Amino acid sequence: MKERSDARGFSRREAGKLIGLTAFALPAATSADAQDRAGLRYASGLTEEPVTYYEVIEPAGGATKKPPLFLVHGGAHTGQCYLMTADGRPGWAHVFAQAGHRVMIVDWPGSGRSGYVPSDKLTGETIVDGLGKALQTLGEPAIVMTHSMSGPYGWKLLERYGDHIAKLVAVAPGPPGNIQPAASIVNETPDTVEVRGTTNYTLDRKAPFVASSNFTLSKLVGKSTQFPREYVARYAASLQPIAPRLLYQRLNIGGAQMKVVDFSKYAGKRVLIVIGTDDVDHPRELDEPIAAWLNQNGAKADFWMLADHGISGNGHMMMLEKNSDAIAKAILTWIEAA
């Protein structure tokens, strides 16, 4: 199959690679597009293939002694979910940077502003490759944060790039294939698969999954009392399609979810799992076993139901919700603890 070409005759992959190689040579903190705004300095860049877009926000005064943060979005989103809340306030990335941390926000390969990846090659392993390349550009161990569908990417990042990870914060994370049950398939045709769980899915085997209004309201907003309902339509318009192979892995159809096979870099690694009180897909009994699995394999994992820390009403998209600043500050207390 021929790749799509732009008006100048370059394929999207070739153009992405050319841009990526050029930007990769510029350290994020000194890129030409860096600017000083509201006491913060901004920059952006691209890695080599798989071409992965990243933004960096840091204190305008330069490096601090605090470790950088590396923020990874979940499915159907981009790094924008860490930059601005649903009601338009500065997001977690700004809160963390104002607290003195250099913050890198990425878009998955094949998503958002990252380079094109053919859908038949867009797998969790490809995404972990791109994230790992971006993570290494920071030049020092970082606090990695994952959310939802990127939870398994975090478990693999820790396995493969553990030397570049100081701590890991997993917000309502998907489990690793090591402990995730295989999907419950209720109907299957040559073109589609219907999966039943806390959220039901009917997946096209070849076409991307596009969040419907029902999916947005039932899963992403859900029972949250903290999501500003007047902004749901604007939020829904920002959602991205999910490549079919990625969702097959996330749902563990046929045992497709990635597994961790080498736990040597898990030893002693601090991990925090955070869930909200009103997240329909992440009750305590579903996510607490992830912390147990981590501890059984050498990590030092803490499990937080936010209500146990005086924060209630949050659903799946807690970084976008009305009390997002309070959650960010609570997470910072854990990050900055010895």
Side-chain angles (χ1 to χ4, degrees), residues 108-121:
W108 294 355
S111 299
R113 290 161 291 185
S114 289
Y116 171 71
V117 179
S119 60
D120 62 334
K121 300 184 184 302

Side-chain angles (χ1 to χ4, degrees), residues 170-173 273-277 279 282-285 287-288 303-307 314-315 318:
V171 179
I273 295 175
V274 183
I275 62 172
T277 57
D279 187 340
H282 291 268
R284 182 189 293 269
E285 59 269 21
D287 283 17
E288 207 163 25
F303 177 84
W304 281 12
M305 170 70 80
L306 284 176
N314 292 100
M318 63 181 72

Side-chain angles (χ1 to χ4, degrees), residues 18-258:
L18 179 61
I19 295 169
L21 289 170
T22 302
F24 187 68
L26 292 171
T30 59
S31 296
D33 65 350
Q35 55 184 302
D36 190 347
R37 184 167 69 244
L40 299 175
R41 184 175 171 86
Y42 297 74
S44 60
L46 294 163
T47 71
E48 296 174 314
E49 288 196 52
V51 178
T52 305
Y53 175 86
Y54 59 84
E55 293 181 68
V56 176
I57 305 177
E58 63 181 346
T64 70
K65 293 183 179 179
K66 295 184 177 183
L69 275 81
F70 183 81
L71 310 184
V72 185
H73 63 85
H77 293 77
T78 68
Q80 177 66 22
C81 69
Y82 293 115
L83 291 168
M84 185 175 72
T85 63
D87 57 9
R89 292 174 294 109
W92 280 4
H94 296 273
V95 177
F96 298 147
Q98 292 284 5
H101 295 268
R102 181 163 50 127
V103 181
M104 177 177 282
I105 311 103
V106 294
D107 287 353
W108 294 355
S111 299
R113 290 161 291 185
S114 289
Y116 171 71
V117 179
S119 60
D120 62 334
K121 300 184 184 302
L122 191 52
T123 64
E125 291 80 2
T126 300
I127 290 178
V128 171
D129 286 343
L131 297 178
K133 286 183 170 68
L135 177 64
Q136 291 178 90
T137 68
L138 286 168
E140 60 179 309
I143 311 294
V144 171
M145 176 178 286
T146 61
H147 174 239
S148 189
M149 190 168 165
S150 67
Y153 308 155
W155 314 135
K156 289 299 288 187
L157 281 169
L158 194 55
E159 176 186 20
R160 293 179 52 192
Y161 299 93
D163 294 340
H164 300 275
I165 299 174
K167 298 179 181 180
L168 176 64
V169 177
V171 179
N178 305 64
I179 61 172
Q180 182 177 356
S184 175
I185 298 174
V186 296
N187 189 41
E188 191 170 4
T189 74
D191 298 318
T192 62
V193 179
E194 185 179 348
V195 176
R196 182 166 295 164
T198 50
T199 297
N200 298 328
Y201 295 83
T202 299
L203 308 179
D204 191 297
R205 294 182 183 274
K206 295 181 180 179
F209 174 83
V210 178
S212 65
S213 58
N214 180 64
F215 178 87
T216 302
L217 287 171
S218 63
K219 174 179 171 59
L220 301 177
V221 177
K223 298 179 180 179
S224 171
T225 60
Q226 295 288 351
F227 198 102
R229 293 302 200 278
E230 63 270 31
Y231 297 107
V232 168
R234 185 173 73 179
Y235 163 62
S238 73
L239 297 176
Q240 306 287 305
I242 305 175
R245 288 188 68 181
L246 295 181
L247 201 51
Y248 270 56
Q249 285 183 302
R250 172 62 187 93
L251 297 174
N252 202 25
I253 295 175
Q257 182 60 276
M258 292 184 297

Side-chain angles (χ1 to χ4, degrees), residues 3-4 10-18 49 51 116-118 121:
E3 295 179 304
R4 294 181 181 178
F10 288 98
S11 72
R12 292 185 65 182
R13 180 186 297 176
E14 290 166 339
K17 182 174 182 180
L18 179 61
E49 288 196 52
V51 178
Y116 171 71
V117 179
K121 300 184 184 302

